[in-house]
Amino acid sequence: MTIDPLPGRSGLVICGEIDIANHHLLRQALAVLAAEDADESEPVQLDLSGLRFIDVAGLAELAGFATQRRLVLHAPPPQVRRLADLFWLDRKWAIQP
Amino acid sequence: MTATRIQPDRGLRHDALFYDDETGYADGLVPFLQEGVDRGDPLLVAAPAQRVELLRDRLNGSAGAVRFVDMMSLGANPNRIIPAVRGFVDRHSGRQVRFVGEPIWAGRSAAETASATRHEALINLAFADTTAHIVCPYDTAGLDPEVLADAEHTHPTLIVDREHRPSTRYVEPAEFTADDRWPLEPPPATARQWRFTELTEPREVVRRHAVDAGLDLERAAALLLAVNEVCTNSLRHGPGYGTLRVWHTDAYLICETYDTGTITDPLAGRLLAPADASGGRGLYVANHMCDLAEVRSTAGGTTVRLQVARTL
């Protein structure tokens, strides 16, 4: 998995696969983003078009972040919407194709 | 003066209704549902679509008060029924919910019927703390005698010819569902096997077989996620490694994991863990992603067999 800043906007580009082996890296990256980017008026953008897989605990990290900040998930892997509906209907995140 | 009313039973009621034709079906269920409508009870019916239509028709003007669900969809994997009904009961907390659930119909496979039968027993545990009244119709004309005998094992009360009587053959659910009493069919000789200590390889295996079996992207992704979550359990809550077996039949792609850990909660995977709990979601997700999820956990280890249909 690789995590890079999103050029020009507040957010991240996350590629590869997220599972039990790298949740901690995702959590760190989100924590750094939250600390460095204090402008809460704009939602945080996550470009997930290069993300091949994210497991439930990985999505839980994003859901946790979405309790503090508005979040937009761009092009998440298949089944993310279904998982979001199953566990996190109340989150303030948007999922865009 | 306050009218004296008979207090409804305070605990769970779980009845098996034996019927052999549409008249018996309607006669058994319509008064139960109509009484619920009159009392203002929350009402949920999950039955095969044809039966749903029959009840809608017979309830006539009252049908609008009933929530109908196609059991062939909700209960395709019977392990999904309890979480759905639990959600309904919890949304109507403090009220007496009436639920009609028909999880077994003629033509279900042996594996599906076994899952649905175990589900019936687990209803007694999952709703023990509620006042729900649950009636499960059984088609005596279409179902095998063993299925009907099991209905007597899994329901404290039987309804036959409109007579209610206690089931003398009722078995405590923990005993009835004991996993060593429900052995899975052995995998075929063609099944392939991998040991895993991480998850990249299991996912590659599943992706490859999903393509070979002709799964569409949606179903392939669902199976991939389910296998990943179950394997994660082996790494996190189990011994840290496990075995993945994969095979297919004409109709299904099947992935089975085994590890030496033990699951002790018979309701594991059927009740929703708090959204941000660190665990407890693996089997729940697997149940929602797969057409069937059979879990067997004994002192010798835990087997989780997941299957998805190759085509719809």
Side-chain angles (χ1 to χ4, degrees), chain B residues 53 90 154 180:
Chain B
E53 285 318 305
D90 290 347
T154 56
D180 46 13

Side-chain angles (χ1 to χ4, degrees), chain B residues 229-297:
Chain B
E229 295 306 311
V230 172
C231 291
T232 299
N233 282 348
S234 296
L235 300 188
R236 197 203 308 230
H237 307 295
Y241 59 89
T243 306
L244 172 66
R245 286 189 187 85
V246 181
W247 68 93
H248 63 259
T249 64
D250 289 345
Y252 294 101
L253 177 60
I254 298 163
C255 295
E256 176 179 289
T257 66
Y258 167 81
D259 70 45
T260 56
T262 305
I263 296 170
T264 51
D265 180 1
L267 291 173
R270 289 171 213 252
L271 298 178
L272 185 53
D276 293 315
S278 65
R281 283 183 296 233
L283 289 176
Y284 190 89
V285 168
N287 278 330
H288 283 79
M289 295 291 154
C290 297
D291 295 319
L292 203 60
E294 298 171 279
V295 181
R296 300 292 185 273
S297 190

Side-chain angles (χ1 to χ4, degrees), chain B residues 52-66:
Chain B
V52 163
E53 285 318 305
L54 173 69
L55 290 177
R56 263 192 215 279
D57 190 46
R58 298 293 168 91
L59 278 166
N60 210 342
S62 298
V66 182

Side-chain angles (χ1 to χ4, degrees), chain B residues 112-128:
Chain B
E112 289 172 32
T113 300
S115 280
T117 301
R118 288 160 57 85
H119 147 79
E120 284 280 41
L122 292 173
I123 286 233
N124 301 299
L125 289 181
F127 299 97

Side-chain angles (χ1 to χ4, degrees), chain A residues 17 19 52 79 82 91, chain B residues 203-204 218 229 276 288:
Chain A
E17 304 197 47
D19 69 11
R52 198 171 175 219
Q79 300 301 343
R82 209 164 147 197
R91 287 304 189 271
Chain B
R203 285 199 299 269
E204 281 312 314
E218 176 90 356
E229 295 306 311
D276 293 315
H288 283 79

Side-chain angles (χ1 to χ4, degrees), chain A residues 17-21 23 52-57 60-61 63-64 67 77-80 82-83 86-88 90-91, chain B residues 80 199-200 203-204 207 217-219 221-222 224-225 228-229 232 235-236 272-273 275-276 281 284-285 288-290:
Chain A
E17 304 197 47
I18 296 174
D19 69 11
I20 189 174
H23 294 142
R52 198 171 175 219
F53 180 82
I54 182 166
D55 70 353
V56 179
E61 296 288 348
T67 59
Q79 300 301 343
V80 161
R82 209 164 147 197
L83 285 176
L86 209 48
F87 294 116
W88 299 290
D90 58 336
R91 287 304 189 271
Chain B
R80 286 197 288 254
L199 301 176
T200 311
R203 285 199 299 269
E204 281 312 314
R207 284 186 181 114
L217 290 178
E218 176 90 356
R219 302 173 75 70
L224 181 70
L225 188 63
N228 184 85
E229 295 306 311
T232 299
L235 300 188
R236 197 203 308 230
L272 185 53
D276 293 315
R281 283 183 296 233
Y284 190 89
V285 168
H288 283 79
M289 295 291 154
C290 297

Side-chain angles (χ1 to χ4, degrees), chain B:
Chain B
M1 195 179 113
T2 311
T4 309
R5 280 189 56 198
I6 298 170
Q7 288 293 312
D9 284 348
R10 281 291 145 206
L12 167 70
R13 287 187 57 185
H14 185 203
D15 311 339
L17 166 72
F18 292 113
Y19 71 95
D20 59 8
D21 59 14
E22 289 197 346
T23 305
Y25 195 79
D27 287 352
L29 294 174
V30 170
F32 169 70
L33 291 168
Q34 187 62 55
E35 186 183 63
V37 171
D38 296 342
R39 289 166 38 113
D41 293 341
L43 301 164
L44 177 65
V45 172
Q50 241 179 320
R51 301 275 181 237
V52 163
E53 285 318 305
L54 173 69
L55 290 177
R56 263 192 215 279
D57 190 46
R58 298 293 168 91
L59 278 166
N60 210 342
S62 298
V66 182
R67 172 128 190 262
F68 290 100
V69 178
D70 178 8
M71 188 60 116
M72 287 181 167
S73 171
L74 169 68
N77 174 353
N79 297 5
R80 286 197 288 254
I81 304 167
I82 284 176
V85 179
R86 185 73 223 196
F88 186 82
V89 169
D90 290 347
R91 280 196 297 281
H92 298 97
S93 170
R95 298 171 65 189
Q96 193 187 18
V97 165
R98 292 176 185 228
F99 170 55
V100 173
E102 185 168 14
I104 308 181
W105 51 88
R108 294 211 85 168
S109 72
E112 289 172 32
T113 300
S115 280
T117 301
R118 288 160 57 85
H119 147 79
E120 284 280 41
L122 292 173
I123 286 233
N124 301 299
L125 289 181
F127 299 97
D129 62 331
T130 74
T131 58
H133 188 169
I134 298 173
V135 178
C136 305
Y138 281 79
D139 174 7
T140 57
L143 296 171
D144 291 337
E146 303 83 61
V147 173
L148 301 174
D150 276 337
E152 297 192 32
H153 296 315
T154 56
H155 294 79
T157 309
L158 310 176
I159 309 172
V160 185
D161 296 333
R162 297 203 211 185
E163 297 289 327
H164 291 60
R165 60 175 166 88
S167 173
T168 54
R169 303 171 71 188
Y170 179 70
V171 181
E172 285 304 318
E175 184 190 340
F176 184 83
T177 60
D179 285 349
D180 46 13
R181 293 178 49 173
W182 296 84
L184 297 172
E185 287 281 309
T190 52
R192 297 199 51 203
Q193 181 172 323
W194 295 261
R195 186 177 187 274
F196 62 87
T197 56
E198 55 80 59
L199 301 176
T200 311
E201 192 191 10
R203 285 199 299 269
E204 281 312 314
V205 167
V206 173
R207 284 186 181 114
R208 218 163 49 230
H209 282 80
V211 170
D212 292 348
L215 259 59
D216 61 37
L217 290 178
E218 176 90 356
R219 302 173 75 70
L223 179 63
L224 181 70
L225 188 63
V227 171
N228 184 85
E229 295 306 311
V230 172
C231 291
T232 299
N233 282 348
S234 296
L235 300 188
R236 197 203 308 230
H237 307 295
Y241 59 89
T243 306
L244 172 66
R245 286 189 187 85
V246 181
W247 68 93
H248 63 259
T249 64
D250 289 345
Y252 294 101
L253 177 60
I254 298 163
C255 295
E256 176 179 289
T257 66
Y258 167 81
D259 70 45
T260 56
T262 305
I263 296 170
T264 51
D265 180 1
L267 291 173
R270 289 171 213 252
L271 298 178
L272 185 53
D276 293 315
S278 65
R281 283 183 296 233
L283 289 176
Y284 190 89
V285 168
N287 278 330
H288 283 79
M289 295 291 154
C290 297
D291 295 319
L292 203 60
E294 298 171 279
V295 181
R296 300 292 185 273
S297 190
T298 66
T302 297
T303 300
V304 180
R305 183 176 291 184
L306 306 172
Q307 77 177 38
V308 295
R310 294 176 64 178
T311 52
L312 272 184

